[in-house]
Every structure is written in structure tokens, then in C-alpha cells.
Amino acid sequence: MPVERMKRILVTGATGQIGSELTIELRNKYGNDDVIAAGHRRKPSEKLFNSGPFEYVDVTDREGITKVIKKYGIDTIYHLAAVLSAAGEEKPQLAWNVNIDSLYNILEIARKHELVRVFWPSSIAVFGPEAPRVNTPQDTVLIPRTMYGVTKVAGELLCNYYFIRFGLDVRSVRYPGIISSETPPGGGITDYAVEMFYEAIKKKRYTCFVREDTVLPMMYMPDCIKAAMDLMEADLSKVKRYVSYNVAGMSFSAGELVAEIKKYIPGFECGYKPDFRQKIADSWPMSIDDSVASEEWGWRSTHDLAAMTKDMIEKNDKTIC
Ligand code: AKB
């Protein structure tokens, strides 16, 4: 069955790490006026604000979102607003409200207004220490140890329920840590990988909050955007799995990232001071098996550690220094 066209798109969490870059790419593809950015607390960048419509909406306010859906005749939602893992451990109630209540709102609105499609990001945080940590398979035991992970497992089940019960076309991937050159993340465990670049360029030193030998799966922003857009464009007949797909980019230890950055900034020094985030990192996969996504809708990542590091240094050297 050919994919039904997405004509008017709403992006929630558009001022966040993924949203700020994905919205621009969606505008490039579907037209500036047809991609509506929605944020809540964080001020949008000038680029985001000036390139198309922007609305301030609280995703936990169903009426507020409904108004925006009606105002613009929205048929597709990328629902990105979320509280990440470390922040969720400090404020579990907030993590539940933002991550689950808002998803329920979006799915209900999509069902009632017969929207064409919804994208919602899950995370490698769905896995806990009982899952194999190397090449973590698509289907395995999901017993996360963080509130964020709990909301992601519950969210996957909710999306699956809406597909089976109501036929809602909702698609999802399990993102690893995302490395970005425009908007920094906030409140995640994998944030150290992004912070390390910024601090290496600005100060030539960084204190990392996980051990040197900590290996986690990561992905560069162009691949993150590609995964969302490829899956949303995929033929419905190819998308057989309505729970989130594993997607992989690269895996490296904090020490390996330091060594790669040193190739460009030889004087860079990194110290290690693990805190409560280490235990969470140790409960997550080290690498991901994404063969199901490859087989079903042709997923392929494009950036490895070397290519990502080169691009991050080149981009940030110009913009930060
Ligand atoms: C986090 O660290 O919380 C996120 C994630 C892996 O979902 N980047």
C-alpha cells in the first residue's frame, strides 16, 4: 500500500535537541508553512522561529494541542517533547507526566481527528541489565531501571495498542545517544559525548561523569533525522512492526571518543568522575542489533566515529570559537 501523503506536520518539542534540526529538515522537504513547530519553555532559535510557524503549547494540555491541530489542519505529528533519563531520576513525576500523559494526548487526538501518521521516539533506555548488552536484539526482555525507560516501554506498548485497536499509523524508533552540533541535549546520560566536544573546543579539558571504559551506542544527528524521515516515508506494507525499531549508529567508549577528539585537538585532556549516571549507563546496551529495521524499511546509518568527529569539530570550531 503506498504511503498516504503527509501534508501538514506538527513537531512538538521543536526547540529541543532533535526537534530544532528535524523541523528545519522537514521544512526543507515539505515546505516552510506546512511544518508547524511547537515548543513550551525553551525559546526557539531565530532560524527555527523565522523559517515557519511557531506555537507555544504545553503537550500535557490536550485542549491546547487540539486548538493547534484545528488551526493548521494538521495531519501528521512528530511528537518529540520528553524529559530524558537523568532529569527523570530527579523528577520522576514530571517525567511520567511529560512523557506518558502527552503521548496519550497525542494518540487520542490523532485517533479522534483521523490523522495520517504519528512519529514518537523511543530509546535504548527501554533495556535493562537483563537484556544482552552486546548487539542487543530487537526482541528481548525490557526491564529498565529508570523512570525514563519505564515511560519509553509504556509508550511503546501504548503506540502498539493504538495501532492494533484503532489502526492508527504510529511509527517509532529506539534512539541511542544523539550527538548534535546545533542544540545541546539536556538531562540525558549520553550528554557527556556532546559536552566533551564543546568543552574540548572551548577549554581543552573536560571532566566526564562516566568511566573511561563506558561503552554506549550513539548516533550522529544526520542519521537521527534520516531514521525518523525514512521510517515515516516507508511503504506501509514494509513496516510490519508497530513497536519501536532498534536503530544503530556507532558504539564507542568515553576513552575512545577522547582519543578521536585528540587527533584534532592534541592538547585536550579528559578526567573521569563517575556519578549516579554511571549505574544507569551500565544498565544500558553497549551496541544494538538493528537488522530488523534494515530488512523491513532499508535502514542504514551513514556516520561512524571518525566521520562524526571530523564533522563535529569542523562545524563547532567555526561556530563556537
Ligand atoms: C538519554 O541519555 O537519556 C537519552 C537516551 C539514550 O534516550 N539520550
Side-chain angles (χ1 to χ4, degrees):
M1 194 198 303
V3 76
E4 202 179 329
R5 222 169 85 72
M6 301 175 276
K7 297 188 194 87
R8 296 219 106 189
I9 299 171
L10 173 69
V11 183
T12 74
T15 57
Q17 185 195 20
I18 300 177
S20 57
E21 293 196 47
L22 177 62
T23 305
I24 302 297
E25 284 307 318
L26 290 169
R27 284 183 174 159
N28 290 341
K29 179 154 190 178
Y30 299 100
N32 285 350
D33 294 340
D34 290 331
V35 179
I36 290 75
H40 184 210
R41 292 212 174 88
R42 211 189 277 190
K43 203 172 158 243
S45 67
E46 274 185 30
K47 189 171 162 190
L48 186 66
F49 194 74
N50 294 332
S51 60
F54 186 91
E55 293 280 340
Y56 283 95
V57 208
D58 175 355
V59 284
T60 62
D61 168 16
R62 195 181 297 181
E63 245 177 67
I65 311 168
T66 306
K67 272 189 200 152
V68 175
I69 299 290
K70 286 186 180 161
K71 178 174 168 187
Y72 293 97
I74 299 293
D75 57 40
T76 301
I77 304 178
Y78 284 73
H79 177 44
L80 307 178
V83 171
L84 297 187
S85 54
E89 289 312 282
E90 270 150 26
K91 294 188 175 161
Q93 178 70 66
L94 181 72
W96 182 267
N97 294 348
V98 173
N99 298 358
I100 286 297
D101 293 353
S102 75
L103 176 62
Y104 190 49
N105 283 341
I106 296 290
L107 295 174
E108 263 304 277
I109 289 168
R111 177 184 73 80
K112 277 197 191 140
H113 296 268
E114 298 182 343
L115 302 197
V116 169
R117 200 159 305 129
V118 173
F119 176 82
W120 174 76
S122 184
S123 162
I124 54 155
V126 293
F127 302 111
E130 290 79 7
R133 291 194 68 211
V134 176
N135 238 0
T136 307
Q138 174 72 48
D139 296 312
T140 184
V141 59
L142 303 180
I143 312 179
R145 298 295 197 272
T146 59
M147 179 52 110
Y148 175 67
V150 169
T151 65
K152 289 300 182 188
V153 174
E156 287 191 6
L157 294 174
L158 203 55
C159 290
N160 203 43
Y161 175 79
Y162 268 73
F163 170 68
I164 292 168
R165 173 84 202 271
F166 304 114
L168 182 68
D169 187 353
V170 47
R171 305 180 184 196
S172 176
V173 295
R174 291 172 179 154
Y175 279 129
I178 303 297
I179 299 179
S180 55
S181 61
E182 288 196 14
T183 308
I189 302 299
T190 56
D191 293 13
Y192 67 86
V194 186
E195 286 171 8
M196 197 182 282
F197 279 101
Y198 282 72
E199 297 301 295
I201 291 168
K202 273 201 277 194
K203 301 185 188 146
K204 291 198 167 42
R205 48 175 55 245
Y206 178 61
T207 306
C208 186
F209 57 75
V210 295
R211 279 189 325 266
E212 186 175 4
D213 63 353
T214 305
V215 177
L216 285 175
M218 303 277 178
M219 178 178 280
Y220 195 31
M221 184 57 89
D223 281 329
C224 166
I225 291 172
K226 182 176 174 296
M229 290 175 71
D230 283 1
L231 178 58
M232 286 293 268
E233 289 283 349
D235 238 46
L236 195 56
S237 60
K238 290 190 178 155
V239 184
K240 299 191 183 78
R241 173 178 301 269
Y242 275 82
V243 183
S244 302
Y245 286 90
N246 279 4
V247 284
M250 60 196 96
S251 281
F252 51 78
S253 69
E256 281 166 335
L257 181 58
V258 172
E260 200 61 34
I261 294 175
K262 275 187 172 174
K263 290 182 186 165
Y264 299 86
I265 308 171
F268 174 47
E269 277 175 29
C270 185
Y272 298 90
K273 210 172 166 195
D275 63 20
F276 75 97
R277 291 171 280 193
Q278 181 69 55
K279 201 169 166 203
I280 299 174
D282 289 341
S283 75
W284 284 357
M286 294 196 279
S287 58
I288 295 289
D289 172 5
D290 61 359
S291 51
V292 175
S294 302
E295 279 154 27
E296 290 195 10
W297 48 278
W299 161 249
R300 292 270 176 290
S301 69
T302 58
H303 285 74
D304 60 11
L305 174 59
M308 178 274 291
T309 305
K310 184 170 183 288
D311 204 54
M312 278 294 281
I313 300 278
E314 280 171 4
K315 283 201 173 118
N316 287 301
D317 241 341
K318 280 185 218 120
T319 54
I320 296 177
C321 290

